[in-house]
Amino acid sequence: MARSGIIGGVLAALVIAGAAVGGALVWRPVIAAIDPPPPQSFDPELVKRGRELAALGNCNDCHTVRGAKNFTGGLPVATPFGTIFSTNITPDPETGIGRWSEEAFRRAMRSGIDREGRHLYPTFPYDHFTNVTDEDDHALYAYMMTREPVVAAARGNQLRFPFNQRFIVAGWKLLFLRRETYQPDATKSAEWNRGAYLVEGLAHCGACHTPRNALGAERAHVAFSGGEAENWSAYAINTQSPAPVTWDADALDFYLRKGWHPDHGTARGPMAEVVSNLSSVPASDVHAIAIYMADVFGAPHTERSRETVVAQAKSIQGKTADPQGATIYAAACAGCHESGRPPPYGGINLALSSALSAPDPRNLINIVLAGVRPIEGERSPIMPGFAGTMNDRQIVVLVDYLRSRFTGQPAWSGLETVIEQARRTQTAYLTTSAGPASAPAGVAQRDKR
């Protein structure tokens, strides 16, 4: 009896200790509400810097429903565990963050915990925002608290059990959240370090371009090796990049500021939103990102120069013997892509297209279906979509022809399934308010909390 009593006591103590540890991991205190600070209390220069940082973080596209006021939330992100909706981050005191102190704002950014102590789902990329400095969080807070307050209640997430229980996020953080901030590399230039700080932090490039494990965490050991975003393939942006011509710093700088490059094509899907925001930030920050990412891509190779890639495509052109594909290409594509006009007024030489060389056909199919919409008020690339004028079989024939003629690589498999999914996504986009008006059809949203 005495022995069983001792064992029972030990087990009870272990249960209590486990519960105490679990409670300590899950529970976070409420941070006291404040009266919304008046906008004029913030220095205008600080607010301006916050606006630039918010653009670097792509905050507006993740927190703005098409046709709604900026930053009012409600956008869905589909995950393997269900759908999560972004929240209202305007300074409305009841439905937004108007009663959040700067301490509460910083805790959300660094630890993924809201003012009331609730764990936020990591679709809000605080696993990157841990790298943001106090100074930049201060500027972001100033910018957000000077936006127009809008009443917009949060939509309820649609998650399966047990993922609808927020306490499990505490366990996810224990496994995957690294709270240390970015540390500069003394062997690199100040510009490289600035780019690294932005890419690994506020810009959270890895959130789309890094593959994830079964629990939705980035697989850090294969960073930038490619991922998924809103039914688009986020290409590998390291040495595994499918780009026929190796990216260098100058090409990246041009592409990130303009949204296209003659040796690489046009930014579409989620990346179009990113470059749209980058057009409003200091050129020095964009160049720093380009310097850092060029290092991640690796040194250019002579066998992947523009001249070599175009010559290789010409050498295989005569070996393509699909008359049906050639006919569709001549009618629908050649007029722009073989016009001789440089981008953005003419189409890119398709031998240079990452969409054709990539291991996944989704991006090419999305572009064929939805086209490329012009940017209002700018001279920008444009391409008609063929969703309404080509049937699935014609698109399969065209895509097979393009892949064979311009890359010589084996045909993709399962094209019919990819086309069907792309059409469903496009239809859903056009019949709901789940995306910005300027985005191409097929685009949903990402990185919501």
Side-chain angles (χ1 to χ4, degrees):
M1 289 292 293
R3 183 176 181 182
S4 63
I6 292 172
I7 293 174
V10 170
L11 290 175
L14 289 174
V15 169
I16 293 170
V21 171
L25 289 173
V26 172
W27 181 83
R28 291 295 183 272
V30 173
I31 294 179
I34 64 169
D35 292 330
Q40 61 269 26
S41 66
F42 296 98
D43 176 42
E45 285 300 313
L46 184 68
V47 173
K48 177 179 179 292
R49 180 58 185 149
R51 177 184 60 78
E52 294 167 350
L53 292 168
L56 281 161
N58 209 38
C59 305
N60 59 327
D61 285 312
C62 288
H63 287 274
T64 306
V65 171
R66 172 162 48 100
K69 300 276 188 156
N70 285 340
F71 304 115
T72 52
L75 286 168
V77 57
T79 77
F81 318 108
T83 301
I84 296 172
F85 294 89
S86 65
T87 53
N88 180 355
I89 56 172
T90 74
D92 177 65
E94 303 305 325
T95 63
I97 61 170
R99 297 196 181 279
W100 287 35
S101 64
E102 188 170 340
E103 177 190 2
F105 180 84
R106 185 176 293 113
R107 183 172 74 170
M109 292 286 288
R110 295 281 179 82
S111 300
I113 299 167
D114 71 7
R115 188 190 68 77
E116 296 178 348
R118 296 176 300 183
H119 290 273
L120 302 173
Y121 289 100
T123 42
F124 175 60
Y126 49 80
D127 53 339
H128 286 271
F129 296 163
T130 56
N131 288 313
V132 179
T133 63
D134 289 348
E135 292 78 12
D136 283 351
D137 276 338
H138 181 54
L140 279 167
Y141 180 74
Y143 175 69
M144 296 313 307
M145 298 304 279
T146 53
R147 300 307 89 205
E148 177 189 358
V150 180
V151 176
R155 297 180 64 179
N157 296 323
Q158 300 168 359
L159 295 168
R160 302 189 308 273
F161 181 85
F163 306 109
N164 58 355
Q165 305 299 308
R166 287 184 181 263
F167 70 84
I168 69 169
V169 180
W172 186 93
K173 292 176 181 178
L174 184 65
L175 292 172
F176 303 116
L177 183 61
R178 300 294 173 260
R179 300 179 188 277
E180 61 268 16
T181 57
Y182 172 75
Q183 297 299 318
D185 185 340
T187 68
K188 301 290 186 178
S189 68
E191 194 170 34
W192 185 99
N193 275 290
R194 176 63 179 170
Y197 165 74
L198 293 173
V199 167
E200 304 292 349
L202 200 57
H204 61 284
C205 303
C208 288
H209 289 278
T210 295
R212 295 179 179 271
N213 62 24
L215 295 178
E218 293 178 30
R219 296 164 56 194
H221 64 288
V222 286
F224 303 120
S225 294
E228 298 183 5
E230 307 155 23
N231 201 41
W232 291 76
S233 174
Y235 297 134
I237 50 174
N238 55 17
T239 56
Q240 300 174 43
S241 167
V245 177
T246 306
W247 287 92
D248 60 23
D250 289 340
L252 284 165
D253 182 71
F254 187 96
Y255 175 85
L256 292 174
R257 287 186 296 105
K258 304 289 187 180
W260 62 276
H261 188 275
D263 291 352
H264 296 280
T266 303
R268 297 318 309 149
M271 196 63 200
E273 301 167 4
V274 172
V275 297
S276 176
N277 276 311
L278 290 179
S279 67
S280 66
V281 307
S284 59
D285 279 346
V286 177
H287 191 65
I289 291 172
I291 291 292
Y292 174 68
M293 288 309 306
D295 197 23
V296 175
F297 272 103
H301 301 285
T302 54
E303 65 272 18
R304 292 177 62 186
S305 67
R306 178 188 177 94
E307 293 74 17
T308 301
V309 169
V310 171
Q312 289 173 345
K314 287 182 177 179
S315 72
I316 62 176
Q317 180 173 337
K319 301 175 184 178
T320 302
D322 179 2
Q324 187 179 2
T327 299
I328 296 173
Y329 170 76
C333 313
C336 283
H337 288 282
E338 295 193 12
S339 66
R341 297 188 302 270
Y345 309 106
I348 185 178
N349 184 323
L350 292 175
L352 306 173
S353 171
S354 296
L356 284 175
S357 299
D360 188 319
R362 280 181 298 174
N363 292 5
L364 177 62
I365 289 170
N366 283 336
I367 294 169
V368 170
L369 288 173
V372 176
R373 297 183 182 182
I375 300 172
E376 185 177 354
E378 296 184 17
R379 294 180 178 178
S380 58
I382 183 172
M383 172 184 151
F386 297 98
T389 55
M390 289 189 194
N391 61 37
D392 290 2
R393 182 58 194 159
Q394 289 170 324
I395 293 176
V396 168
V397 170
L398 174 62
V399 167
D400 279 339
Y401 175 81
L402 296 175
R403 173 87 160 172
S404 174
R405 171 175 171 177
F406 291 101
T407 74
Q409 296 185 38
W412 287 300
S413 61
L415 287 177
E416 293 85 354
T417 301
V418 178
I419 293 168
E420 181 183 357
Q421 174 62 35
R423 285 192 187 274
R424 281 202 307 268
T425 305
Q426 176 179 339
T427 300
Y429 175 86
L430 293 174
T431 56
T432 68
S433 61
S438 61
V443 177
Q445 293 297 319
R446 65 194 177 288
D447 295 340
K448 325 310 179 291
R449 67 181 176 186

